[in-house]
Amino acid sequence: MENDFKNDTQSLISDLKQAERILSEYSGGYSGQYFSAEEFYKDLKDHIFELENGNKAVLEDLFIWFAPICQWDEFVGDTILGEKIFQQIITLKNN
């Protein structure tokens, strides 16, 4: 069970890093919680670092950010990657 969680977390981190690279190319915008893509990028990068270091509490923010029509969709709009990440977070939260 612990190995599944660790493998699922590594897969999520890999996808989050892909999202981070994509988001780094965006600027400006507004999402309700963030006044710019740059601000969202900084928080996403910090949360990835925290998750890599075992802080599972960041899953709550990530869950909100990657939920359909939330921050990720508003700034980037890559619904395929966003939905994949969202589903991975749901799996991790339920384990």
Side-chain angles (χ1 to χ4, degrees):
M1 241 7 204
E2 183 63 31
N3 277 345
D4 287 343
F5 185 85
K6 188 171 185 168
N7 290 338
D8 289 346
T9 302
Q10 288 305 318
S11 178
L12 173 60
I13 288 170
S14 176
D15 288 337
L16 286 169
K17 286 185 175 188
Q18 180 182 355
E20 177 189 346
R21 284 188 297 276
I22 293 168
L23 183 59
S24 73
E25 299 174 9
Y26 287 77
S27 64
Y30 177 77
S31 74
Q33 180 179 351
Y34 291 98
F35 291 109
S36 70
E38 295 91 343
E39 186 182 336
F40 178 44
Y41 170 80
K42 181 188 176 310
D43 275 358
L44 178 60
K45 188 172 182 159
D46 290 346
H47 278 57
I48 293 169
F49 176 81
E50 290 291 325
L51 187 60
E52 286 177 311
N53 287 289
N55 183 357
K56 298 172 191 170
V58 299
L59 289 174
E60 291 303 319
D61 285 339
L62 293 168
F63 177 80
I64 293 167
W65 296 346
F66 284 90
I69 65 169
C70 284
Q71 281 74 23
W72 174 256
D73 286 352
E74 290 177 359
F75 283 117
V76 179
D78 183 340
T79 55
I80 294 171
L81 179 59
E83 180 63 23
K84 181 180 179 187
I85 290 171
F86 184 66
Q87 292 303 320
Q88 289 173 311
I89 294 166
I90 289 171
T91 299
L92 286 172
K93 285 176 53 120
N94 290 332
N95 287 337

